[in-house]
Amino acid sequence: MTKKILKFPKNFSWGVSTSAYQIEGGIINDWSQWEKSKSRIKNLKLKNKNPEDFICGSACDSYNKYAEDFDLAKELNCGAFRLGIEWARIEPQEGQFNLEEIEHYKKVLQSAKKRNLQVVLTLWHWTNPIWLSQIGGWTNKKVVSFFIRYVKLIVKELGQDVDFWITLNEPMLHINHGYIRGKFPPAKKYNFLGAVLAYRNLVKAHQLAFNRIHDILPEAKVSFTSLNSYIEPANTINPFDVLIVLIAKYFYYQKFLKQTRQYLDFIALDYYFHNRLSCFPPFKVNLNKEINDIGWEIYPKGIYYVLKDLSKFKKPIYIMENGIADANDNQRAKFIINHLKYVHKAINQGIDVRGYFYWSLLDNFEWADGWAPKFGLYAIDKKTFKRIARPSAKIYAEICKNNLIEVN
């Protein structure tokens, strides 16, 4: 059968995404503290899990190997790289800024620019300095002014080498897992007051950060990453299933986007999930015909519906994260191509999608799931930190080089 060639727009951005805590190593913050807490270790042992598998520690040693990682991105023919700044490194004590770390990040960004990589910089990716967590983290109203002070410093010191700014990464997931489900620090369960306070402060922080970045760099491109899943009713003729979906969409991502829509230069989409919701237990009733290593349903068509939904904001859209946990690399290439097929469909229908970033360049520390999930185009030898290309890396490199995919 002859394959069909689907070409992407001429200036389409191809990239990879990472985050500071997940790859740098040696960071002391609220996450590193929580990982080693007695309650966390006890909980893991009750589940017959080895606590050492859930410690970030040296991560991928990208703090030292950043130039090598940028070289890997160039091997993939990527023109863009998303990375993060670690607030806890910059401001280890309240009001005390580490100038050596700022100089380090200058070298990192200059290394990326030397390789002609567009830089997408994330300012906050779920982790907080310990001093901030000790006064309530994002529930304390002072956090907004602290965050803006940090943002202004970074923009003034590093802004010349940044092409796109991500103020916050998936704020709603931090709220859900940190204050409702208890999976992330501060590990609260059903703390609805905390969730509301954190939500308000995160919205305000993004709005003010957007304005302050533009005050310093008027031409800056600023957004936050929104984790949008494709949610549909299990029974489309059941009004209660339909209602549950409407409520879930509203609180999961629509409300935050609507409250910040005037403070977005582009939409930064993270897409992984598809959920079929029912008003009857177990409430989530996915068909799971195909799943990844950690049980997430693979549903490429969903990204088309999400892009279609986001097009109403009339902003350029960049897919900042889309990836699969696949240790054996049996599904990754197919996963990428099948999702890109639906991205191409959206573009053909006039939806302004301008870039795709695969998550992630490297196998990294996957938060509450520890080291088990393997999302990387490159595997990591945890003893030597050697980067090892998976077969799917070659296929993604061809896609990026040729700006097209081939589908049946």
Side-chain angles (χ1 to χ4, degrees), residues 293 326-333 358 376-377 389-393 395:
D293 290 352
D326 179 22
N328 295 324
D329 205 44
N330 295 325
Q331 299 173 291
R332 187 170 286 104
Y358 177 79
L377 292 163
R390 290 195 166 97
S392 56
I395 293 169

Side-chain angles (χ1 to χ4, degrees), residues 6-8 301 303-305 307-308 338-351 353 405:
L6 303 179
K7 291 186 177 182
F8 284 78
K301 186 187 290 188
I303 200 168
Y304 164 75
Y305 294 117
L307 290 169
K308 198 171 178 181
N338 285 346
H339 280 79
L340 285 172
K341 180 175 72 173
Y342 284 103
V343 173
H344 187 273
K345 179 179 179 180
I347 293 170
N348 262 7
Q349 294 184 2
I351 298 172
V353 186
I405 56 171

Side-chain angles (χ1 to χ4, degrees), residues 308-326:
K308 198 171 178 181
D309 187 43
L310 289 172
S311 67
K312 68 189 175 194
F313 288 95
K314 301 191 183 304
K315 307 272 186 183
I317 302 170
Y318 289 83
I319 298 157
M320 283 294 168
E321 292 183 29
N322 177 236
I324 181 173
D326 179 22

Side-chain angles (χ1 to χ4, degrees), residues 230-400:
Y230 175 53
I231 307 171
E232 61 178 332
N235 184 345
T236 55
I237 61 172
N238 183 331
F240 296 104
D241 284 9
V242 173
L243 179 62
I244 284 173
V245 166
L246 291 174
I247 293 170
K249 282 183 177 181
Y250 179 74
F251 286 106
Y252 196 56
Y253 59 85
Q254 287 177 346
K255 185 179 181 183
F256 204 102
L257 278 166
K258 286 178 179 178
Q259 285 193 258
T260 56
R261 68 186 303 164
Q262 302 303 319
Y263 303 86
L264 298 171
D265 293 310
F266 62 97
I267 301 287
L269 167 66
D270 294 350
Y271 175 81
Y272 294 95
F273 307 104
H274 164 247
N275 286 316
R276 297 172 76 247
L277 300 185
S278 169
C279 60
F280 300 107
F283 305 114
K284 189 171 78 171
V285 286
N286 291 356
L287 299 178
N288 290 336
K289 292 178 181 178
E290 290 183 279
I291 59 172
N292 69 9
D293 290 352
I294 48 179
W296 298 353
E297 184 177 33
I298 300 169
Y299 196 74
K301 186 187 290 188
I303 200 168
Y304 164 75
Y305 294 117
V306 168
L307 290 169
K308 198 171 178 181
D309 187 43
L310 289 172
S311 67
K312 68 189 175 194
F313 288 95
K314 301 191 183 304
K315 307 272 186 183
I317 302 170
Y318 289 83
I319 298 157
M320 283 294 168
E321 292 183 29
N322 177 236
I324 181 173
D326 179 22
N328 295 324
D329 205 44
N330 295 325
Q331 299 173 291
R332 187 170 286 104
K334 180 183 173 184
F335 176 96
I336 293 171
I337 291 168
N338 285 346
H339 280 79
L340 285 172
K341 180 175 72 173
Y342 284 103
V343 173
H344 187 273
K345 179 179 179 180
I347 293 170
N348 262 7
Q349 294 184 2
I351 298 172
D352 190 10
V353 186
R354 298 190 185 180
Y356 176 90
F357 289 65
Y358 177 79
W359 180 275
S360 180
L361 175 70
L362 310 169
D363 286 345
N364 53 210
F365 180 73
E366 281 298 333
W367 305 107
D369 291 315
W371 285 102
K374 307 299 183 187
F375 279 87
L377 292 163
Y378 291 83
I380 297 287
D381 183 319
K382 286 288 290 162
K383 292 181 180 178
T384 65
F385 299 110
K386 181 180 179 182
R387 281 82 166 122
I388 305 153
R390 290 195 166 97
S392 56
K394 184 177 180 181
I395 293 169
Y396 188 54
E398 287 297 310
I399 291 170
C400 298

Side-chain angles (χ1 to χ4, degrees), residues 149-168:
R149 181 178 62 186
Y150 153 70
V151 169
K152 287 167 68 176
L153 176 68
I154 296 302
V155 176
K156 287 177 180 176
E157 294 290 337
L158 307 180
Q160 63 182 6
D161 291 318
V162 176
D163 299 284
F164 296 86
W165 297 89
I166 301 294
T167 58
L168 308 169

